[in-house]
Amino acid sequence: MEITQQLLNDVLELAKQAGEHSKVFYAKNLTVQTKSDNTPVTEADLFISQFLTQKLTSITPDIPVLSEENCHIDFNERKQWQAYWLIDPIDGTQQFISHTDQFSVMICLVQNNQPMLGVIHAPMLNRTYYAWREHGAFLIENGITKKLPKIQPHNRTQIKIAIGSSNPEKIRQSIKSPYQPEFIVYGSSSLKSGLVAEGIVDCYVRFGNTGEWDTAVADILLHEVDCKIFDLSFQPLTYNQRETLINPYFVMGNCKLDWQKIFQFNT
């Protein structure tokens, strides 16, 4: 499938529409259920998942959609896919429930097991990140679009680290001398990747389960600004190449820093 500017525009519009739906639910008292993996889900997650699946299918009828809320597709079937949409209707459901505003809608096109086009839309923050592999990464804020520049190296020993629910002490124990961490607690996984892409933090460390839908857009966004995602063995994440869709623990960080000199993980 050829990626075009029109397709990107369609995905941006879909993310915006999904964000407007999320605002309606955000103003309500929601019923929260617990999924089998012990994570929360609301009617907002389910509605937006169905909305995006239907809309994407109408735009690209021959491309399947894999959603966090509809991910029980046998590996023998999905490993045949040369292209598919990977969506997270609400990335940061707990943030959504807690009304921190730090949640997003995520849509990603994966081709040949590589994320190629993606959007992260944070409706309550009025911020949208998008990236197209080898075409750049961008941020739309208050209606103004700017291209994100390549991240630059630095020689500081103070490392700014975005975290969510990960244990900061465990992360601190993984950092080699003379480096010292400065932790910044922020919302959903996708928005923490945005902090890395903008150079606000040096890295985002996740010691906890996430799904491939949590990292796919970030993978493109970071690639386009000279950053990367790697697991605790310093290997890149994969997409639709394993039975499980659960990611290993990971770090998102500036490619210009030698992370093997900074971190030593007990894997």
Side-chain angles (χ1 to χ4, degrees):
M1 175 188 170
E2 182 185 1
I3 298 174
T4 63
Q5 185 65 45
Q6 183 59 55
L7 181 65
L8 172 59
N9 292 344
D10 289 344
V11 175
L12 285 166
E13 179 59 27
L14 270 186
K16 183 178 178 181
Q17 291 175 14
E20 292 306 303
H21 284 303
S22 76
K23 289 180 181 179
V24 175
F25 286 101
Y26 200 60
K28 297 179 180 180
N29 290 321
L30 296 176
T31 300
V32 180
Q33 298 178 329
T34 302
K35 295 190 288 189
S36 59
D37 62 358
N38 216 29
T39 59
V41 65
T42 71
E43 56 260 49
D45 299 84
L46 301 175
F47 177 89
I48 295 170
S49 178
Q50 184 176 25
F51 169 78
L52 287 175
T53 299
Q54 290 175 343
K55 293 293 186 180
L56 289 167
T57 300
S58 69
I59 293 170
T60 55
D62 298 327
I63 298 182
V65 180
L66 181 64
S67 168
E68 177 182 7
E69 308 310 335
N70 185 23
C71 61
H72 300 296
I73 299 170
D74 191 88
F75 181 55
N76 286 326
E77 177 184 345
R78 58 182 170 82
K79 72 180 180 182
Q80 307 297 326
W81 296 348
Q82 293 188 355
Y84 65 100
W85 294 103
L86 183 57
I87 63 173
D88 192 343
I90 295 181
D91 178 48
T93 297
Q94 189 57 59
Q95 305 295 329
F96 185 85
I97 294 165
S98 302
H99 282 75
T100 70
D101 294 351
Q102 295 171 3
F103 66 91
S104 73
V105 175
M106 287 205 292
I107 307 172
C108 184
L109 178 64
V110 183
Q111 290 182 311
N112 300 314
N113 305 114
Q114 185 176 56
M116 297 298 293
L117 177 79
V119 173
I120 298 167
H121 176 55
M124 303 308 296
L125 303 178
N126 202 17
R127 291 166 67 84
T128 305
Y129 299 95
Y130 69 93
W132 178 358
R133 193 170 289 271
E134 309 306 339
H135 288 73
F138 300 83
L139 171 64
I140 306 171
E141 189 168 23
N142 299 318
I144 299 171
T145 302
K146 68 175 183 180
K147 186 172 184 179
L148 297 179
K150 302 289 188 181
I151 295 294
Q152 298 303 309
H154 67 72
N155 296 315
R156 299 189 305 269
T157 56
Q158 190 83 5
I159 303 296
K160 291 185 178 180
I161 303 176
I163 61 170
S165 58
S166 298
N167 185 332
E169 244 350 276
K170 279 192 172 182
I171 297 171
R172 192 188 304 275
Q173 292 167 11
S174 301
I175 297 174
K176 300 179 184 178
S177 178
Y179 296 98
Q180 296 294 326
E182 175 186 344
F183 293 112
I184 296 173
V185 179
Y186 204 69
S188 72
S189 184
S190 60
L191 297 182
K192 288 192 280 289
S193 76
L195 297 182
V196 178
E198 291 187 75
I200 296 170
V201 298
D202 296 306
C203 67
Y204 157 38
V205 179
R206 174 71 182 196
F207 287 178
N209 285 346
T210 57
E212 292 183 9
W213 45 80
D214 289 306
T215 56
V217 182
D219 215 302
I220 321 164
L221 183 73
L222 296 175
H223 176 272
E224 293 302 300
V225 294
D226 282 353
C227 294
K228 60 184 176 181
I229 311 178
F230 53 89
D231 65 20
L232 302 194
S233 298
F234 302 96
Q235 298 301 307
L237 301 188
T238 63
Y239 295 91
N240 202 28
Q241 296 183 54
R242 299 171 297 140
E243 289 272 0
T244 180
L245 291 163
I246 300 304
N247 288 320
Y249 296 176
F250 62 76
V251 176
M252 300 182 183
N254 181 345
C255 282
K256 307 289 178 61
L257 298 182
D258 187 345
W259 292 106
Q260 295 195 49
K261 286 186 176 179
I262 297 171
F263 284 118
Q264 182 170 353
F265 300 111
N266 295 318
T267 57

